[in-house]
Each structure stands twice: as C-alpha cells, then as structure tokens.
Short mmCIF file of all heavy atoms in Angstrom, two decimals:
data_model
loop_
_atom_site.label_atom_id
_atom_site.label_comp_id
_atom_site.label_asym_id
_atom_site.label_seq_id
_atom_site.Cartn_x
_atom_site.Cartn_y
_atom_site.Cartn_z
N SER A 1 -1.53 -0.06 0.04
CA SER A 1 -1.02 1.29 0.56
C SER A 1 -0.63 2.06 -0.70
O SER A 1 -0.79 1.66 -1.84
CB SER A 1 0.32 0.97 1.42
OG SER A 1 1.25 0.31 0.58
N ARG A 2 -0.22 3.31 -0.37
CA ARG A 2 0.14 4.20 -1.50
C ARG A 2 1.24 5.18 -1.02
O ARG A 2 1.43 5.57 0.02
CB ARG A 2 -1.14 5.02 -1.84
CG ARG A 2 -1.78 5.86 -0.67
CD ARG A 2 -3.15 6.28 -1.17
NE ARG A 2 -3.12 7.37 -2.06
CZ ARG A 2 -4.09 7.79 -2.83
NH1 ARG A 2 -5.26 7.18 -2.75
NH2 ARG A 2 -3.97 8.80 -3.71
N ASP A 3 1.97 5.61 -2.15
CA ASP A 3 2.99 6.66 -1.89
C ASP A 3 2.73 7.77 -2.95
O ASP A 3 3.04 7.63 -4.10
CB ASP A 3 4.43 6.06 -2.20
CG ASP A 3 5.50 6.98 -1.79
OD1 ASP A 3 5.24 8.26 -1.85
OD2 ASP A 3 6.59 6.64 -1.59
N ASP A 4 1.99 8.82 -2.44
CA ASP A 4 1.56 9.75 -3.35
C ASP A 4 2.75 10.60 -3.96
O ASP A 4 2.68 11.04 -5.06
CB ASP A 4 0.57 10.77 -2.64
CG ASP A 4 -0.66 10.17 -2.32
OD1 ASP A 4 -1.01 9.12 -2.84
OD2 ASP A 4 -1.44 10.86 -1.57
N ALA A 5 3.86 10.58 -3.28
CA ALA A 5 5.01 11.31 -3.86
C ALA A 5 5.43 10.66 -5.07
O ALA A 5 6.16 11.16 -5.90
CB ALA A 5 6.09 11.45 -2.72
N LYS A 6 5.40 9.37 -5.06
CA LYS A 6 5.78 8.50 -6.17
C LYS A 6 4.64 8.11 -7.13
O LYS A 6 4.90 7.40 -8.15
CB LYS A 6 6.47 7.21 -5.69
CG LYS A 6 7.84 7.43 -4.77
CD LYS A 6 8.29 6.03 -4.41
CE LYS A 6 9.67 6.23 -3.66
NZ LYS A 6 10.18 5.06 -3.20
N ASN A 7 3.48 8.58 -6.81
CA ASN A 7 2.24 8.27 -7.59
C ASN A 7 2.21 6.66 -7.80
O ASN A 7 1.83 6.23 -8.84
CB ASN A 7 2.22 8.99 -8.96
CG ASN A 7 0.86 9.70 -9.18
OD1 ASN A 7 0.21 9.87 -8.30
ND2 ASN A 7 0.75 10.24 -10.36
N THR A 8 2.36 6.03 -6.68
CA THR A 8 2.52 4.59 -6.64
C THR A 8 1.59 3.99 -5.67
O THR A 8 1.55 4.51 -4.53
CB THR A 8 3.85 4.07 -6.64
OG1 THR A 8 4.74 4.54 -7.70
CG2 THR A 8 4.09 2.61 -6.51
N GLY A 9 0.87 2.98 -6.09
CA GLY A 9 0.17 2.07 -5.10
C GLY A 9 0.75 0.73 -4.95
O GLY A 9 1.38 0.23 -5.89
N TYR A 10 0.55 0.08 -3.78
CA TYR A 10 1.13 -1.18 -3.50
C TYR A 10 0.01 -2.19 -3.06
O TYR A 10 -0.99 -1.72 -2.38
CB TYR A 10 2.19 -0.99 -2.45
CG TYR A 10 3.30 0.01 -2.82
CD1 TYR A 10 3.17 1.27 -2.43
CD2 TYR A 10 4.41 -0.36 -3.66
CE1 TYR A 10 4.17 2.12 -2.70
CE2 TYR A 10 5.26 0.49 -3.86
CZ TYR A 10 5.24 1.85 -3.51
OH TYR A 10 6.18 2.76 -3.80
N LEU A 11 0.31 -3.39 -3.21
CA LEU A 11 -0.53 -4.51 -2.64
C LEU A 11 0.46 -5.45 -2.09
O LEU A 11 1.16 -6.16 -2.70
CB LEU A 11 -1.42 -5.11 -3.64
CG LEU A 11 -2.41 -6.08 -2.97
CD1 LEU A 11 -3.47 -5.45 -2.12
CD2 LEU A 11 -3.19 -6.92 -4.08
N GLN A 12 0.51 -5.49 -0.72
CA GLN A 12 1.29 -6.53 -0.05
C GLN A 12 0.47 -7.77 0.27
O GLN A 12 -0.59 -7.56 0.92
CB GLN A 12 1.89 -5.89 1.23
CG GLN A 12 2.78 -6.86 2.11
CD GLN A 12 3.39 -6.20 3.40
OE1 GLN A 12 2.91 -5.13 3.79
NE2 GLN A 12 4.18 -6.93 4.03
N MET A 13 0.85 -8.79 -0.19
CA MET A 13 0.08 -10.09 -0.04
C MET A 13 0.91 -11.08 0.77
O MET A 13 2.03 -11.41 0.33
CB MET A 13 -0.27 -10.66 -1.45
CG MET A 13 -0.95 -9.65 -2.37
SD MET A 13 -1.41 -10.34 -3.95
CE MET A 13 0.14 -10.68 -4.66
N THR A 14 0.27 -11.57 1.83
CA THR A 14 1.01 -12.59 2.69
C THR A 14 -0.03 -13.78 2.73
O THR A 14 -1.17 -13.67 2.44
CB THR A 14 1.29 -11.96 4.00
OG1 THR A 14 0.02 -11.65 4.74
CG2 THR A 14 2.13 -10.73 3.98
N SER A 15 0.53 -14.81 3.27
CA SER A 15 -0.19 -16.08 3.51
C SER A 15 -0.98 -16.48 2.26
O SER A 15 -2.18 -16.81 2.33
CB SER A 15 -1.11 -16.00 4.63
OG SER A 15 -0.43 -15.71 5.89
N LEU A 16 -0.32 -16.41 1.09
CA LEU A 16 -0.93 -16.67 -0.14
C LEU A 16 -1.38 -18.19 -0.31
O LEU A 16 -0.71 -19.10 0.18
CB LEU A 16 -0.04 -16.30 -1.37
CG LEU A 16 0.01 -14.81 -1.62
CD1 LEU A 16 1.28 -14.53 -2.46
CD2 LEU A 16 -1.19 -14.28 -2.36
N GLN A 17 -2.52 -18.27 -0.89
CA GLN A 17 -3.14 -19.65 -1.06
C GLN A 17 -3.36 -19.95 -2.55
O GLN A 17 -3.42 -18.88 -3.32
CB GLN A 17 -4.44 -19.81 -0.26
CG GLN A 17 -4.21 -19.53 1.19
CD GLN A 17 -3.23 -20.51 1.78
OE1 GLN A 17 -3.33 -21.73 1.53
NE2 GLN A 17 -2.29 -20.10 2.68
N PRO A 18 -3.43 -21.14 -3.02
CA PRO A 18 -3.68 -21.41 -4.36
C PRO A 18 -4.96 -20.67 -4.91
O PRO A 18 -4.91 -20.30 -6.17
CB PRO A 18 -3.95 -22.83 -4.37
CG PRO A 18 -3.07 -23.36 -3.29
CD PRO A 18 -3.19 -22.39 -2.17
N GLU A 19 -5.99 -20.40 -4.05
CA GLU A 19 -7.20 -19.67 -4.56
C GLU A 19 -6.90 -18.29 -4.86
O GLU A 19 -7.73 -17.56 -5.42
CB GLU A 19 -8.26 -19.91 -3.57
CG GLU A 19 -7.97 -19.52 -2.18
CD GLU A 19 -7.57 -20.75 -1.33
OE1 GLU A 19 -6.94 -21.65 -1.96
OE2 GLU A 19 -7.92 -20.76 -0.18
N ASP A 20 -5.76 -17.80 -4.50
CA ASP A 20 -5.38 -16.36 -4.81
C ASP A 20 -4.79 -16.22 -6.23
O ASP A 20 -4.45 -15.16 -6.63
CB ASP A 20 -4.32 -15.92 -3.80
CG ASP A 20 -4.95 -15.66 -2.39
OD1 ASP A 20 -6.09 -15.24 -2.28
OD2 ASP A 20 -4.25 -16.10 -1.40
N THR A 21 -4.67 -17.39 -6.87
CA THR A 21 -3.98 -17.42 -8.24
C THR A 21 -4.93 -16.59 -9.17
O THR A 21 -6.19 -16.93 -9.22
CB THR A 21 -3.84 -18.80 -8.72
OG1 THR A 21 -2.83 -19.45 -7.89
CG2 THR A 21 -3.35 -18.89 -10.16
N ALA A 22 -4.42 -15.76 -9.87
CA ALA A 22 -5.09 -14.81 -10.82
C ALA A 22 -4.34 -13.83 -11.44
O ALA A 22 -3.16 -13.73 -11.12
CB ALA A 22 -6.38 -14.17 -9.93
N VAL A 23 -4.86 -13.16 -12.45
CA VAL A 23 -4.22 -11.94 -12.86
C VAL A 23 -4.67 -10.72 -12.08
O VAL A 23 -5.93 -10.56 -11.94
CB VAL A 23 -4.55 -11.72 -14.40
CG1 VAL A 23 -3.97 -10.43 -14.93
CG2 VAL A 23 -4.12 -12.93 -15.31
N TYR A 24 -3.80 -9.99 -11.51
CA TYR A 24 -4.10 -8.89 -10.75
C TYR A 24 -3.96 -7.55 -11.45
O TYR A 24 -2.97 -7.35 -12.21
CB TYR A 24 -3.18 -8.85 -9.58
CG TYR A 24 -3.62 -9.87 -8.41
CD1 TYR A 24 -3.47 -11.23 -8.71
CD2 TYR A 24 -4.15 -9.57 -7.17
CE1 TYR A 24 -3.76 -12.20 -7.82
CE2 TYR A 24 -4.50 -10.46 -6.28
CZ TYR A 24 -4.32 -11.80 -6.54
OH TYR A 24 -4.73 -12.82 -5.71
N TYR A 25 -5.00 -6.75 -11.34
CA TYR A 25 -5.05 -5.52 -12.11
C TYR A 25 -5.22 -4.34 -11.09
O TYR A 25 -5.96 -4.37 -10.13
CB TYR A 25 -6.26 -5.38 -12.96
CG TYR A 25 -6.23 -6.39 -14.08
CD1 TYR A 25 -6.91 -7.65 -13.92
CD2 TYR A 25 -5.78 -6.18 -15.37
CE1 TYR A 25 -7.01 -8.63 -14.84
CE2 TYR A 25 -5.80 -7.10 -16.28
CZ TYR A 25 -6.45 -8.40 -16.13
OH TYR A 25 -6.52 -9.35 -17.05
N CYS A 26 -4.45 -3.29 -11.33
CA CYS A 26 -4.60 -2.06 -10.55
C CYS A 26 -5.37 -1.09 -11.43
O CYS A 26 -5.56 -1.22 -12.53
CB CYS A 26 -3.33 -1.43 -10.20
SG CYS A 26 -2.45 -0.70 -11.55
N SER A 27 -6.23 -0.35 -10.62
CA SER A 27 -7.13 0.64 -11.23
C SER A 27 -6.93 1.93 -10.41
O SER A 27 -7.02 1.86 -9.14
CB SER A 27 -8.52 0.10 -11.18
OG SER A 27 -9.35 1.16 -11.71
N ALA A 28 -6.91 3.00 -11.12
CA ALA A 28 -6.65 4.26 -10.37
C ALA A 28 -7.60 5.45 -11.05
O ALA A 28 -7.69 5.39 -12.30
CB ALA A 28 -5.24 4.72 -10.36
N ASN A 29 -8.02 6.31 -10.23
CA ASN A 29 -8.83 7.39 -10.79
C ASN A 29 -7.93 8.65 -10.62
O ASN A 29 -7.44 8.99 -9.64
CB ASN A 29 -10.07 7.62 -9.75
CG ASN A 29 -10.95 8.74 -10.33
OD1 ASN A 29 -10.62 9.85 -10.13
ND2 ASN A 29 -12.03 8.29 -10.84
N VAL A 30 -7.68 9.19 -11.79
CA VAL A 30 -6.84 10.31 -12.02
C VAL A 30 -7.78 11.45 -12.65
O VAL A 30 -8.25 11.12 -13.82
CB VAL A 30 -5.61 10.06 -12.75
CG1 VAL A 30 -4.72 11.34 -12.98
CG2 VAL A 30 -4.79 8.99 -12.20
N ALA A 31 -7.86 12.59 -12.03
CA ALA A 31 -8.81 13.62 -12.63
C ALA A 31 -10.10 13.16 -13.20
O ALA A 31 -10.64 13.44 -14.22
CB ALA A 31 -7.99 14.36 -13.85
N TRP A 32 -10.68 12.19 -12.24
CA TRP A 32 -12.02 11.75 -12.55
C TRP A 32 -12.10 10.71 -13.66
O TRP A 32 -13.30 10.44 -14.21
CB TRP A 32 -13.06 12.92 -12.73
CG TRP A 32 -13.00 13.94 -11.69
CD1 TRP A 32 -12.49 15.23 -11.82
CD2 TRP A 32 -13.32 13.71 -10.29
NE1 TRP A 32 -12.58 15.79 -10.57
CE2 TRP A 32 -13.05 14.98 -9.61
CE3 TRP A 32 -13.81 12.71 -9.50
CZ2 TRP A 32 -13.25 15.16 -8.25
CZ3 TRP A 32 -14.04 12.83 -8.24
CH2 TRP A 32 -13.73 14.11 -7.51
N ILE A 33 -10.97 10.29 -14.17
CA ILE A 33 -10.96 9.33 -15.19
C ILE A 33 -10.32 8.05 -14.51
O ILE A 33 -9.33 8.07 -13.94
CB ILE A 33 -10.20 9.64 -16.46
CG1 ILE A 33 -10.92 11.00 -16.98
CG2 ILE A 33 -10.12 8.62 -17.52
CD1 ILE A 33 -10.01 11.56 -18.27
N THR A 34 -10.98 6.84 -14.83
CA THR A 34 -10.38 5.55 -14.26
C THR A 34 -9.54 4.84 -15.25
O THR A 34 -9.89 4.68 -16.60
CB THR A 34 -11.61 4.73 -13.84
OG1 THR A 34 -12.47 5.31 -12.96
CG2 THR A 34 -11.10 3.34 -13.40
N TYR A 35 -8.39 4.58 -14.83
CA TYR A 35 -7.46 3.89 -15.66
C TYR A 35 -7.12 2.47 -15.09
O TYR A 35 -7.25 2.18 -13.90
CB TYR A 35 -6.10 4.63 -15.78
CG TYR A 35 -6.25 5.95 -16.36
CD1 TYR A 35 -6.69 7.24 -15.56
CD2 TYR A 35 -6.16 6.22 -17.82
CE1 TYR A 35 -6.72 8.34 -16.18
CE2 TYR A 35 -6.27 7.47 -18.33
CZ TYR A 35 -6.65 8.53 -17.44
OH TYR A 35 -6.76 9.86 -18.02
N TRP A 36 -6.69 1.59 -16.09
CA TRP A 36 -6.41 0.27 -15.64
C TRP A 36 -4.97 -0.13 -15.99
O TRP A 36 -4.40 0.32 -17.09
CB TRP A 36 -7.35 -0.80 -16.36
CG TRP A 36 -8.69 -0.74 -15.75
CD1 TRP A 36 -9.75 0.11 -16.16
CD2 TRP A 36 -9.23 -1.58 -14.64
NE1 TRP A 36 -10.85 -0.08 -15.43
CE2 TRP A 36 -10.56 -1.07 -14.50
CE3 TRP A 36 -8.75 -2.46 -13.85
CZ2 TRP A 36 -11.44 -1.58 -13.56
CZ3 TRP A 36 -9.55 -3.08 -12.97
CH2 TRP A 36 -10.92 -2.62 -12.82
N GLY A 37 -4.36 -0.89 -15.18
CA GLY A 37 -3.00 -1.49 -15.52
C GLY A 37 -3.12 -2.59 -16.43
O GLY A 37 -4.28 -3.12 -16.81
N GLN A 38 -1.99 -3.11 -16.88
CA GLN A 38 -2.01 -4.25 -17.89
C GLN A 38 -2.31 -5.57 -17.24
O GLN A 38 -2.58 -6.53 -17.97
CB GLN A 38 -0.69 -4.22 -18.75
CG GLN A 38 0.50 -4.96 -17.91
CD GLN A 38 1.15 -3.95 -16.87
OE1 GLN A 38 0.60 -2.86 -16.57
NE2 GLN A 38 2.22 -4.34 -16.36
N GLY A 39 -2.06 -5.71 -16.01
CA GLY A 39 -2.32 -6.92 -15.25
C GLY A 39 -1.03 -7.61 -15.04
O GLY A 39 -0.05 -7.52 -15.86
N THR A 40 -0.89 -8.27 -13.92
CA THR A 40 0.25 -9.00 -13.69
C THR A 40 -0.07 -10.37 -13.00
O THR A 40 -1.17 -10.47 -12.19
CB THR A 40 1.18 -8.20 -12.63
OG1 THR A 40 2.31 -9.07 -12.42
CG2 THR A 40 0.48 -8.08 -11.34
N GLN A 41 0.45 -11.45 -13.55
CA GLN A 41 0.05 -12.74 -13.15
C GLN A 41 0.53 -13.14 -11.67
O GLN A 41 1.83 -12.97 -11.42
CB GLN A 41 0.47 -13.83 -14.09
CG GLN A 41 0.12 -15.28 -13.77
CD GLN A 41 -1.32 -15.61 -13.83
OE1 GLN A 41 -1.93 -15.27 -14.76
NE2 GLN A 41 -1.80 -16.29 -12.76
#
C-alpha cells in the first residue's frame, strides 16, 4: 500500500514462513529515476 501524502509505501506481511527470510528492499520511481532503500532484514 502507499500513502502519497506521506510519500511512504508499506508492505504488510502476514502468515510469515521461514522461506520468507531475506533482506527486503524497497524501490521507488521518482521523476523517472529509480531509487533503492538500504534494505531491512
């Protein structure tokens, strides 16, 4: 989901399983340029 007023995106994860273990990165396109977050474990 996203909240444009806050310029924030969200990922709600439920029923997590061990195979979901990973570093999660967000990526966003701003003015036609793609940016990446630092990752969260």
Side-chain angles (χ1 to χ4, degrees):
S1 61
R2 56 191 291 162
D3 184 339
D4 288 350
K6 297 181 179 179
N7 233 9
T8 298
Y10 305 95
L11 185 67
Q12 182 181 9
M13 306 184 291
T14 63
S15 301
L16 284 162
Q17 299 301 316
E19 52 265 34
D20 294 317
T21 295
V23 178
Y24 283 70
Y25 299 88
C26 70
S27 176
N29 183 286
V30 180
W32 310 110
I33 299 174
T34 299
Y35 299 90
W36 289 88
Q38 79 280 9
T40 185
Q41 177 70 46

